[in-house]
């Protein structure tokens, strides 16, 4: 999943993770920071995934937001 958003100039790192089903740990990526923005691509697993974005400033203060996304298997085409 491609996760994009805006950020305050005090934010120095943004981490994005996707945890699906009973997976432990999930997939994680450090976002690319642009001027007032961030973006990251994180692989999802089939089914419901919890997408978590954590932003941190230089002092170590953090803020986290989470949402859920569903990844379905594409339909099989029969000739």
């Amino acid at each position: 999943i491609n996760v994009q958003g805006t950020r305050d100039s005090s934010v120095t790192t943004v981490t994005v993770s996707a945890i699906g089903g009973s997976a432990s740990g999930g997939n994680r990526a450090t976002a690319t920071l642009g001027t007032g923005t961030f973006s990251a691509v994180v692989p999802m697993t089939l089914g419901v995934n919890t997408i978590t974005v954590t932003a941190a400033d230089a002092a170590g203060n953090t803020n986290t937001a989470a949402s859920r996304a569903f990844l379905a298997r594409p339909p099989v085409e029969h000739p």
Side-chain angles (χ1 to χ4, degrees), residues 12-79:
T12 56
T13 60
V14 176
T15 304
V16 180
S17 63
I19 301 175
S22 61
S24 162
N27 297 306
R28 177 180 289 198
T30 299
T32 301
L33 303 181
T35 304
T37 64
F38 71 89
S39 65
V41 176
V42 181
M44 292 181 16
T45 59
L46 289 175
V48 176
N49 289 255
T50 300
I51 311 300
T52 305
V53 178
T54 302
D57 64 14
N61 300 307
T62 62
N63 195 0
T64 301
S67 187
R68 290 192 174 166
F70 186 83
L71 178 64
R73 186 179 312 264
V76 177
E77 294 185 29
H78 297 283

